[in-house]
Amino acid sequence: MTDAPTTTTEPQAAPTAAGAPLLQVTDLHTSFTSDRGTVRAVRGVSLSLQRGRTLGIVGESGSGKSVLSRSIMGLMPSNATRTGSVVYDGTEILNASPSTMRNYWGDEMAMVFQDPMTALNPVLRVERQITESLHEHLDLSKQQAKDTALALLTSVGIPEPARRLRMYPHEMSGGMRQRIMIAIALACGPKMLFADEPTTALDVTVQAQILDLLQHLQTDRQMAMILVTHDLGVVAGRAHDIAVMYAGEIVEQASAKALFASVRHPYTEALLQSIPKLEMAKHTKLEAIGGRPPDLVNLPQGCPFAQRCRYAQDRCRDEAPALLPDPDDATHLVACHFPVGTAAEQPRHEALADTQLDHAAGDDVVFEPDPEGAS
Ligand code: SF4
């Protein structure tokens, strides 16, 4: 079994999940037309999320995790097609018009984007960017909006908030800009927050601060939060539940506790093995996941992970596995014919020995811990 990351603490207990979920997604498919054909970016995703809980959605680039978030929020380009169901707070919103969705954005659901430098307007002062959102959604006087903006900057840990309000984004550090993005997202008190790779552009120390801030705000405001990341280490200790995505599908879904206690899908296992751990010796080589995700225009017939999977057998290339409950834990779902740790699991099939695994030396990542011992 693969060790769980050891870098974070458990999230605070969520309130009792009473009543209907705030978000219920059922059999959601999102595809895009392209010159090469139809790109099937999200394929049959179902999930639910209660108020006060954080769902971590984890996967490599191109796994569909960011498209899933935008599909739920209705932030879609004109060449996108969605089918299935997205019920938010009891209302079906999948086919809601853009004008209807504008009533949800900000007030009900908001997103913190990956790169604040591209999401913020470079020619507007911070105050204007926050108060614009407040004026659009709330009936506030000019002074009330300014007071609210000051309180928001304070709540996201920005020192000297009155001075910062008068600044432009380029006058601030990356961490400060991301805090501004979070303040804007929270301006109208959304019930649901999407954080899409919110710390990718930041150094490791600031990453931890921003993630801790998001966790604190989520708990304090009892928001539902979807935390999208390529790094299982980011959601360890911060998410209550985890969905692992590969090739547009959820391949493993469980509470964080259950998933880290007993990883079932080979892809999740490979993701875990690619995370640096504090106890690693200097110059330890991390295990990169060999090969590449499949082409979402021409998906293989069987399991989409088969070409990269160390446990693949003939059946895997013929028959796509369904997402099913684990026999030992009905709440732990896995899409795999031979889950990790089961008696049916077999060593990698001989026929895979010469597949296109890209284990070039340059693919390996060398982890060099901070000399001070910080992670
Ligand atoms: Fe690997 Fe087969 Fe499971 Fe796919 S179904 S993840 S190829 S063992």
Side-chain angles (χ1 to χ4, degrees), residues 265-267 303-306 309-313 316 321 335-339:
H265 198 281
Y267 177 59
C303 172
F305 191 56
C309 180
R310 60 195 297 205
Y311 306 115
Q313 300 181 50
C316 305
C336 177
H337 296 310
F338 309 107

Side-chain angles (χ1 to χ4, degrees), residues 134-208:
L134 290 167
H135 285 307
E136 191 175 328
H137 295 273
L138 306 174
D139 187 21
L140 296 181
S141 68
K142 198 173 171 186
Q143 188 57 48
Q144 284 172 325
K146 183 168 183 176
D147 291 345
T148 304
L150 274 172
L152 281 164
L153 291 202
T154 303
S155 73
V156 297
I158 290 188
E160 302 179 79
R163 186 167 75 84
R164 308 288 178 182
L165 276 182
R166 295 192 297 276
M167 295 173 76
Y168 292 95
H170 72 269
E171 298 178 288
M172 298 176 156
S173 67
M176 196 82 77
R177 285 194 291 267
Q178 194 55 293
R179 287 176 192 267
I180 298 291
M181 276 296 306
I182 294 170
I184 292 172
L186 296 179
C188 300
K191 298 187 185 81
M192 170 167 283
L193 187 68
F194 294 81
D196 185 359
E197 302 268 17
T199 59
T200 300
L202 304 175
D203 70 55
V204 71
T205 307
V206 182
Q207 274 184 19

